[in-house]
């Protein structure tokens, strides 16, 4: 990431800026442009105002105690998360929909706040009957079904610390995460539907639990039924519905200290072994409540859809806690974006090809979804599938779009704006991490003029900066390292069981400054541009170059759907850029024809060289059908580096499809020779 690279993002900065429409601004939850200055003038008072919008059973004495690198927020205060998400909503919104759900085969459910509260109180009694107490850890290994939210909220009601493990992870990953936090209980399901097949959660749980000595019980939700073919281990395994049948509906919430642990969540593992992030109660809820209200502009009239799985932090903060604390209605979907409603009837195993790449757009039309929050990987996949698919559906209910998870390339941003938002929806590109708990850098949709691929400004009350290797602020327009200068309520408190690693990873690079590990540039208007991981920055012939810039240039080429760039060791230059590229469908490349592949590679090299300067010209362009991604859909560049430099592959446990790496490795060596 360059203090001097030829492109310097200037071209992006001069790109069009998109001001919110007057109609949007006038109805927005936040319209006051002075809010940034106000929050800066008294940040503790500002955060206390937010916390005051929640319900506390005991008020706090101290807003913030900052003993770097440990922060305590709203000390002395007590509250309960489930009370804020449920009980508090009942008087006004009891009959409003809390969750609208669609299963992959097409089955649908709607759950009101009254019904959700009822289920949560009952499941809290179930947890209690299984001996779970305040402070105990509970692992959730669940599908995207409303019961996942029920289980999370019941944990918060009783004061248990949940650790949600993504349902696509293997037995080993589940085992590792369960052992690390010492869970007593695993809550799972017999399985769920994905691309017409059963994902066998219970089988995988059985395999994992065999080696987890702390686990005494497994609660199993029946999602599939017979076809899942599971067996119950007597004494250990219990059916969700059996337990719920007799559970009482009365469960007074446990008052929690503001700083009591709320949940543990392991990071995606893009850069290495996942870290067990610990969040606490009062500060976390304050952060997700505030950001949901202002960034998603959420209202009772919305049907809000965040496509993230509850296994990721986005699913915690923006499927469950942020929206429900705001009393909003969330949409949840169980399955894959390219699978159609089953015509064999709900619950039938479908082995037939039932590909339907318009599924997301159909659901937006069917349910009249108003806000869509998704990831660049999904947007780029939809670009690859073609704009005719969203065009074939009525998306006019949408009024706001969001993006999270990776830098979004300008090209993908513009596609999202044009083909999904139809030019009518502000786009909030939200930068944040598992560690930050809530969104940190994002437009406020009624106020901010957005720029394609800039996350724009730190949320009011967040103090971000861009510094050099010594920790000194760099001038605007220069690339550097992103840091956060002040503690914020929803920040992680530590790494579970490893405070030393917490200090080392986040606070040792620049003492007193939080180090997220991402590169950034701030332009003259104060907009932040996220440039990818600091580890992915290349040093080419003395120039720091961000992978993000070259990738974005490649994606501008009409043939390219997705690109991943890495720096490969080079005798003379230090590092040389190498690009892995996925071609858009319908481009008509004959992938069996070596000559046309070579011609396209050469063309892409030239394209980048012209656009960004010769120094950014990739030395190799490898055309591939797929890229190694984490289960959350992020490109794992370190594995591509391993391949390009002929190393043994590092930790691959969080990889979505290990076969991709093997085939890329073969391809890489054969292309080179
Ligand atoms: P690990 O820390 O285990 O390597 P991870 O960093 O992928 O995994 P997450 O907490 O899920 O785990 O992801 C946070 C990271 O995702 C950020 O540090 C950043 O690199 C990237 N990111 C998220 N949102 C954005 C965004 N809007 N723009 C750019 N990058 C983003
Ligand atoms: Mg990370």
């Amino acid at each position: 990431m360059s203090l001097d690279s030829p492109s310097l993002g200037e071209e992006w900065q001069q790109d069009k800026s998109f001001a919110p429409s007057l109609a949007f601004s006038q109805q927005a939850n936040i319209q006051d442009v002075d809010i940034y200055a106000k929050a800066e003038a008294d940040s503790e008072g500002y955060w206390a105002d937010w916390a005051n919008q929640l319900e506390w059973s005991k008020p706090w004495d101290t807003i913030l105690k900052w003993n770097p690198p440990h922060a305590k927020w709203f000390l002395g205060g007590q509250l309960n998360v489930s009370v804020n998400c449920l009980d508090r909503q009942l008087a006004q919104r009891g009959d409003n929909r809390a969750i609208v759900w669609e299963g992959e085969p097409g089955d649908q459910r709607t759950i009101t706040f009254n019904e959700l509260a009822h289920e949560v109180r009952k499941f809290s009694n179930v947890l209690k009957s299984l001996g779970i107490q305040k402070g105990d850890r509970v692992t959730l290994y669940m599908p995207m079904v409303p019961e996942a939210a029920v289980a999370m909220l019941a944990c918060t009601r009783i004061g248990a610390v949940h650790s949600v493990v993504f349902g696509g992870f293997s037995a080993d990953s589940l085992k590792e995460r369960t052992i690390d936090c010492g869970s007593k209980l695993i809550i799972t399901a017999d399985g769920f539907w994905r691309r017409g097949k059963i994902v066998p959660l219970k089988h995988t749980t059985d395999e994992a639990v065999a080696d987890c000595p702390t686990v005494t019980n497994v609660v199993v939700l029946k999602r599939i039924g017979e076809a899942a073919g599971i067996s119950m281990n007597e004494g250990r395994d219990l059916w969700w519905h059996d337990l719920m049948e007799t559970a009482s509906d009365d469960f007074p919430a446990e008052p929690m200290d503001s700083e009591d642990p709320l949940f543990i969540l392991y990071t995606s593992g893009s850069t290495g072994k996942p870290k067990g992030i610990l969040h606490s109660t009062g500060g976390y809820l304050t952060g997700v409540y505030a950001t949901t209200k202002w960034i998603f502009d959420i209202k009772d009239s919305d049907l809000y859809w965040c496509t993230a799985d509850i296994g990721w932090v986005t699913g915690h903060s923006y499927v469950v806690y942020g929206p429900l604390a705001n009393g909003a209605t969330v949409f949840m979907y169980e399955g894959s974006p390219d699978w159609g409603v089953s015509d064999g009837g709900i619950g039938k195993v479908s082995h037939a090809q039932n590909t339907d790449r318009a599924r997301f757009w159909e659901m937006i039309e069917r349910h009249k979804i108003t806000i869509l929050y998704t990831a660049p990987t999904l947007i780029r996949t939809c670009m690859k599938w073609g704009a005719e698919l969203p065009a074939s559906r009525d998306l006019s209910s949408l009024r706001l779009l969001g993006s999270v998870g990776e830098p979004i390339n300008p090209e993908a941003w513009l596609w999202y704006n044009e083909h999904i938002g139809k030019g009518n929806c502000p786009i909030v590109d939200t930068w944040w991490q598992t560690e930050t708990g809530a969104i940190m850098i994002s437009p406020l949709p009624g106020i901010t003029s957005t720029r394609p691929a800039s996350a724009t400004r730190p949320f009011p009350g967040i103090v971000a900066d861009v510094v050099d290797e010594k920790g000194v602020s760099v001038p605007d327009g220069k690339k550097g390292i992103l840091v956060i200068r002040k503690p914020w309520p929803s920040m992680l408190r530590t790494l579970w069981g490893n405070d030393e690693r917490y200090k080392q990873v986040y606070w040792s690079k620049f003492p007193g400054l939080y180090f997220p590990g991402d590169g950034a540039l701030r332009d003259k208007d104060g907009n932040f541009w996220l440039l990818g991981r600091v580890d992915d920055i290349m040093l080419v012939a003395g120039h720091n170059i961000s992978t993000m810039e070259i990738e974005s240039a490649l994606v501008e080429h009409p043939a390219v759907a997705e690109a991943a760039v890495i720096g490969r060791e080079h005798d003379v230059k230090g590092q040389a850029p190498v690009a892995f590229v996925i071609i858009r469908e319908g481009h008509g490349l004959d992938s069996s024809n070596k000559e046309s592949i070579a011609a396209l590679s050469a063309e892409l090299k030239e394209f980048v060289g012209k656009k960004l300067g010769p120094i950014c010209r990739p030395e190799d362009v490898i055309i591939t059908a797929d890229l190694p991604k984490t289960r959350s859909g992020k490109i794992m560049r370190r594995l591509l580096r391993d391949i390009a430099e002929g190393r043994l592959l590092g930790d691959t446990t969080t990889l979505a499809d290990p076969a991709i790496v093997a085939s890329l490795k073969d391809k890489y060596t054969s292309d080179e020779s």
Side-chain angles (χ1 to χ4, degrees):
M1 183 180 42
S2 165
L3 309 176
D4 52 17
S5 106
S7 61
L8 208 70
E10 268 165 21
E11 191 191 323
W12 299 350
Q13 293 169 45
Q14 286 158 5
D15 251 49
K16 274 194 281 179
S17 122
F18 293 75
S21 69
L22 193 62
F24 192 99
S25 293
Q26 283 175 340
Q27 61 77 60
N29 285 346
I30 176 74
Q31 303 178 16
D32 176 9
V33 290
D34 295 332
I35 190 61
Y36 292 98
K38 287 181 193 160
E40 197 180 321
D42 174 18
S43 76
E44 287 186 26
Y46 161 86
W47 286 120
D49 284 347
W50 275 118
N52 261 321
Q53 295 182 36
L54 301 174
E55 187 172 311
W56 296 74
S57 52
K58 180 168 171 276
W60 61 83
D61 320 306
T62 311
I63 299 174
L64 169 66
K65 199 167 150 212
W66 179 223
N67 184 12
H70 295 106
K72 293 186 169 159
W73 284 88
F74 313 118
L75 267 179
Q78 288 192 327
L79 78 168
N80 183 284
V81 167
S82 78
V83 167
N84 277 280
C85 292
L86 300 170
D87 310 43
R88 189 168 71 115
Q89 312 297 344
L90 299 185
Q92 273 185 34
R93 304 185 172 101
D95 292 327
N96 286 15
R97 300 173 305 170
I99 300 176
V100 177
W101 176 83
E102 193 168 306
E104 192 183 74
D107 41 343
Q108 296 181 20
R109 286 164 70 190
T110 297
I111 294 162
T112 65
F113 275 94
N114 276 327
E115 290 162 348
L116 186 62
H118 170 79
E119 296 294 302
V120 168
R121 289 191 302 263
K122 287 181 73 158
F123 199 70
S124 302
N125 276 312
V126 167
L127 291 175
K128 194 170 155 193
S129 73
L130 297 174
I132 301 300
Q133 294 175 358
K134 182 171 172 173
D136 286 346
R137 273 82 60 210
V138 173
T139 294
L140 271 63
Y141 186 57
M142 300 279 283
M144 283 300 282
V145 292
E147 284 78 4
V150 171
M152 289 165 79
L153 287 159
C155 286
T156 73
R157 195 164 188 89
I158 195 168
V161 180
H162 61 63
S163 163
V164 183
V165 177
F166 173 56
F169 273 134
S170 65
D172 273 348
S173 305
L174 174 61
K175 183 177 86 181
E176 196 184 321
R177 287 163 179 74
T178 306
I179 291 175
D180 189 74
C181 69
S183 290
K184 276 188 169 172
L185 175 68
I186 298 186
I187 305 170
T188 188
D190 52 358
F192 67 96
W193 297 104
R194 179 130 189 127
R195 307 201 82 250
K197 296 211 177 80
I198 296 168
V199 179
L201 291 178
K202 175 63 165 64
H203 286 305
T204 312
T205 304
D206 289 341
E207 212 182 313
V209 177
D211 294 323
C212 296
T214 53
V215 174
T216 47
N217 287 111
V218 176
V219 173
V220 187
L221 177 80
K222 189 179 274 179
R223 161 63 183 140
I224 301 287
E226 287 285 290
I230 66 159
S231 56
M232 297 291 273
N233 183 319
E234 273 250 23
R236 187 196 71 186
D237 300 350
L238 301 153
W239 283 109
W240 174 292
H241 57 266
D242 285 345
L243 294 163
M244 287 292 264
E245 204 175 273
T246 51
S248 149
D249 165 45
D250 182 30
F251 195 100
E254 183 73 30
M256 302 297 286
D257 285 338
S258 179
E259 279 301 324
D260 276 338
L262 180 64
F263 65 78
I264 299 162
L265 181 62
Y266 294 84
T267 54
S268 310
S270 308
T271 56
K273 196 174 149 53
K275 302 170 278 280
I277 307 298
L278 182 71
H279 281 291
S280 65
T281 309
Y284 172 82
L285 196 65
T286 301
V288 298
Y289 171 79
T291 47
T292 305
K293 184 161 191 159
W294 280 1
I295 295 168
F296 298 112
D297 192 47
I298 210 145
K299 315 242 166 51
D300 284 12
S301 50
D302 280 308
L303 180 55
Y304 158 92
W305 184 21
C306 165
T307 67
D309 191 279
I310 45 135
W312 314 121
V313 73
T314 308
H316 284 57
S317 301
Y318 300 108
V319 175
V320 181
Y321 296 121
L324 295 179
N326 276 278
T329 308
V330 300
F331 179 75
M332 266 173 110
Y333 170 57
E334 173 184 39
S336 170
D338 61 353
W339 201 255
V341 168
S342 164
D343 50 12
I346 306 301
K348 295 274 185 307
V349 196
S350 162
H351 295 296
Q353 268 303 326
N354 192 20
T355 302
D356 175 4
R357 290 169 163 182
R359 179 65 183 266
F360 270 27
W361 320 124
E362 282 161 26
M363 290 191 294
I364 289 171
E365 180 183 84
R366 179 152 58 241
H367 298 279
K368 301 201 167 33
I369 289 164
T370 61
I371 301 171
L372 175 67
Y373 186 33
T374 191
T377 182
L378 189 273
I379 299 165
R380 291 188 298 249
T381 302
C382 292
M383 285 171 77
K384 184 172 76 180
W385 290 343
E388 322 73 73
L389 294 170
S392 70
R393 295 289 160 175
D394 178 8
L395 306 183
S396 60
S397 55
L398 288 173
R399 66 180 194 92
L400 178 65
L401 302 175
S403 170
V404 63
E406 283 184 295
I408 177 168
N409 323 93
E411 198 66 18
W413 195 105
L414 291 166
W415 190 92
Y416 198 28
N417 182 53
E418 182 183 341
H419 296 286
I420 310 303
K422 317 284 180 192
N424 287 324
C425 301
I427 296 181
V428 291
D429 172 12
T430 62
W431 177 87
W432 62 298
Q433 311 177 291
T434 311
E435 292 87 339
T436 67
I439 296 169
M440 301 291 276
I441 305 181
S442 166
L444 296 176
I447 296 178
T448 314
S449 287
T450 55
R451 311 268 174 98
S454 169
T456 73
R457 291 184 70 168
F459 190 75
I462 301 296
V463 186
D465 197 3
V466 182
V467 301
D468 64 16
E469 276 293 336
K470 295 199 186 76
V472 179
S473 297
V474 302
D476 291 344
K478 288 256 182 195
K479 297 176 200 170
I481 299 162
L482 181 68
V483 293
I484 312 294
R485 290 200 170 272
K486 273 193 173 181
W488 65 100
S490 64
M491 65 193 277
L492 78 167
R493 296 306 191 252
T494 187
L495 293 181
W496 180 257
N498 200 345
D499 198 53
E500 274 315 303
R501 190 171 175 216
Y502 165 72
K503 292 180 192 157
Q504 187 258 322
V505 173
Y506 306 106
W507 301 96
S508 67
K509 187 158 175 84
F510 307 116
L513 302 182
Y514 174 77
F515 169 65
D518 287 348
L521 170 153
R522 182 175 44 206
D523 67 21
K524 57 183 183 341
D525 303 322
N527 290 313
F528 283 71
W529 303 75
L530 279 303
L531 300 173
R533 317 277 174 160
V534 173
D535 299 350
D536 290 336
I537 304 303
M538 293 168 276
L539 193 63
V540 184
H543 298 276
N544 288 295
I545 293 172
S546 93
T547 53
M548 167 67 184
E549 287 170 286
I550 304 183
E551 288 164 8
S552 292
L554 282 163
V555 176
E556 276 181 47
H557 189 283
V560 178
E562 191 154 24
V565 170
I566 51 120
R568 179 178 60 196
E569 278 172 30
H570 188 281
D571 291 348
V572 182
K573 301 181 195 163
Q575 277 182 310
V578 171
F580 295 78
V581 162
I582 300 178
I583 299 305
R584 277 203 209 203
E585 279 173 24
H587 176 72
L589 176 77
D590 175 4
S591 53
S592 60
N593 181 335
K594 278 209 158 173
E595 271 164 34
S596 57
I597 289 178
L600 183 59
S601 289
E603 187 182 325
L604 292 174
K605 288 180 200 171
E606 278 322 299
F607 186 76
V608 173
K610 275 218 181 93
K611 221 173 155 53
L612 300 179
I615 207 156
C616 294
R617 187 178 186 276
E619 207 175 59
D620 270 332
V621 172
I622 292 124
I623 290 166
T624 169
D626 230 325
L627 290 166
K629 290 186 180 165
T630 61
R631 305 251 170 194
S632 54
K634 303 182 198 212
I635 299 170
M636 274 168 123
R637 291 180 190 74
R638 67 183 166 82
L639 294 182
L640 294 173
R641 241 180 346 250
D642 289 348
I643 293 172
E645 293 177 356
R647 265 193 306 273
L648 265 179
L649 296 175
D651 185 6
T652 54
T653 49
T654 54
L655 208 59
D657 181 359
I660 291 169
V661 168
S663 74
L664 257 177
K665 238 175 135 175
D666 289 349
K667 188 164 181 48
Y668 187 81
T669 23
S670 70
D671 277 12
E672 260 199 328
S673 55

